[in-house]
Amino acid sequence: MQLGMIGLGRMGGNIVRRLMKNGHTAVVYDKDAKAVSGLAGEGAVGGSSLADFVKKLDKPRHVWVMLPAGKITETTIDELTKLLEPGDTIIDGGNTFWQDDVRRGQALKKQGLFYIDVGTSGGVWGIDRGYCMMIGGEKEVVDRLDPIFKTLAPGIGDIPRTPGRDGRDPRIEEGYIHAGPVGAGHFVKMIHNGIEYGLMQAYAEGFDILKNANIEALPEAHRYDLNLPDIAEVWRRGSVIPSWLLDLTASALAKSGELKEYSGFVEDSGEGRWTVNAAIDEAVPAEVLTAALFARFRSRQEHTFAEKILSAMRAGFGGHKEPEQHPDPKRQDAPDIVK
């Protein structure tokens, strides 16, 4: 199946590579001509402009936009809409705010265009591990795109099956879900990322306590000089708190027990804020997720070992780099700063 991809960054480029590796074809476009020529050298068809990109797609066209949430995605889709025809489909695989999906889907439907939102989890490792996807949109279009989603998904792998799931949608065990109508995919991904904040903060605080177990303020008999890399490693093996995040933490600590290469300045890309707002709208108490978000705000003013752990995890799963210049923590355009 053919897919058009706009945005060839950390995830967009690897999504294309995973598809081509498994027999699909791709037409690609990015403002960075080097990114386009690089993937063209690997077998994709490159577009020299947005218009040229659209012309090279077979009808009905399926265009995946993989750009940072906010203005750049909005502008790109607006320009793309003018070039597409009724029956074509736009897929937003970035971390877009779900209410923007609803608005956008309604507007495109009036023009005869389909709109799909795909919350995509997998980071820089997705090319090999696959991508967990949470999809919103009309069933007809989601089903039509199933060959793409099935290829990108991790597959069943060696994860034990959950008892009692017989007769349910088999796509779930493959690692992707049609969550509901337009907006549902990004809503589910938003909560996924909110939970991610909480899990990361729990690990970070735990390791910070372990690291400070030898401070002079404690009675000498109560001090422990603990080996954090070894503790992270042993927890990965048979404890009740293993996860990919713990794997990344263990890897970072094995390389540098003090994590001196990390400042502890921790960004947030928007989903945590939106998750807290959704909890407020629904009157759902979300103490852990809210505290985890606020801890990231605090990290921009003072840094602890816990924040270095957070930075190490973010670098591990998403390739996120700490900014050279730290933006104002009160900013409102977080999704445009970090993908």
Side-chain angles (χ1 to χ4, degrees):
M1 189 172 184
Q2 186 194 67
L3 182 74
M5 176 65 73
I6 299 175
L8 306 177
R10 290 191 300 263
M11 291 185 67
N14 280 347
I15 285 174
V16 170
R17 291 183 179 94
R18 184 173 174 91
L19 289 173
M20 293 194 300
K21 181 180 178 181
N22 289 279
H24 297 278
T25 59
V27 180
V28 299
Y29 174 70
D30 192 288
K31 288 186 177 181
D32 182 355
K34 291 183 179 179
V36 175
S37 61
L39 272 171
E42 296 178 41
V45 176
S48 59
S49 66
L50 204 55
D52 181 56
F53 163 83
V54 170
K55 287 180 181 178
K56 291 178 176 176
L57 288 166
D58 298 332
K59 300 179 183 180
R61 305 173 183 91
H62 303 100
V63 181
W64 186 306
V65 179
M66 201 66 174
L67 297 169
K71 293 179 182 178
I72 187 172
T73 293
E74 195 75 37
T75 300
T76 301
I77 290 180
D78 285 347
E79 294 177 3
L80 187 60
T81 300
K82 299 171 185 176
L83 300 169
L84 297 179
E85 301 174 357
D88 293 344
T89 301
I90 296 175
I91 306 160
D92 183 353
N95 285 326
T96 291
F97 182 43
W98 64 275
Q99 291 182 14
D100 289 337
D101 290 317
V102 174
R103 167 184 53 78
R104 195 179 291 150
Q106 292 172 345
L108 294 181
K109 188 173 184 179
K110 294 177 182 178
Q111 301 180 50
L113 299 173
F114 296 106
Y115 182 82
I116 301 292
D117 56 288
V118 182
T120 311
S121 180
V124 296
W125 299 87
I127 186 172
D128 297 316
R129 292 170 58 105
Y131 301 89
C132 176
M133 291 166 290
M134 297 136 269
I135 306 162
E138 295 184 26
K139 182 180 185 303
E140 170 194 348
V141 191
V142 174
D143 289 349
R144 184 199 308 163
L145 287 163
D146 190 71
I148 295 292
F149 299 137
K150 187 175 180 65
T151 297
L152 292 176
I156 293 178
D158 58 0
I159 298 176
R161 298 192 67 188
T162 301
R165 288 202 55 86
D166 293 341
R168 294 174 179 262
D169 186 345
R171 295 176 295 183
I172 310 306
E173 292 181 307
E174 295 279 346
Y176 63 113
I177 181 174
H178 182 196
V182 171
H186 277 145
F187 185 87
V188 174
K189 177 59 162 50
M190 174 184 74
I191 303 305
H192 164 284
N193 283 27
I195 292 171
E196 179 185 295
Y197 280 34
L199 290 172
M200 291 173 70
Q201 188 65 29
Y203 283 125
E205 292 177 8
F207 279 102
D208 206 358
I209 296 169
L210 293 171
K211 185 178 187 300
N212 285 283
N214 196 32
I215 60 173
E216 293 183 1
L218 296 172
E220 187 172 353
H222 294 175
R223 298 179 197 170
Y224 299 102
D225 185 12
L226 300 170
N227 187 312
L228 269 58
D230 286 355
I231 291 172
E233 186 63 30
V234 78
W235 280 351
R236 296 180 60 226
R237 304 177 183 280
S239 82
V240 299
I241 60 167
S243 72
W244 186 24
L245 293 172
L246 181 58
D247 294 345
L248 296 170
T249 301
S251 178
L253 287 170
K255 293 176 182 177
S256 171
E258 295 294 323
L259 302 181
K260 292 181 179 179
E261 64 269 43
Y262 298 101
S263 71
F265 183 99
V266 186
E267 272 286 7
D268 71 287
S269 54
E271 297 86 356
R273 301 180 186 214
W274 300 336
T275 298
V276 171
N277 288 337
I280 292 171
D281 291 341
E282 299 168 13
V284 173
E287 298 96 330
V288 171
L289 306 189
T290 303
L293 174 64
F294 287 172
R296 294 195 176 198
F297 296 163
R298 187 208 59 232
S299 79
R300 298 162 203 169
Q301 300 171 14
E302 54 179 304
H303 310 314
T304 67
F305 187 74
E307 271 84 56
K308 292 186 178 184
I309 290 283
L310 290 176
S311 291
M313 281 188 274
R314 294 183 83 243
F317 68 73
H320 300 286
K321 297 180 180 178
E322 295 171 323
E324 294 181 4
Q325 293 184 341
H326 298 163
D328 183 349
K330 297 180 181 179
R331 75 203 185 289
Q332 297 299 313
D333 59 344
D336 284 330
I337 293 177
V338 177
K339 171 63 178 67

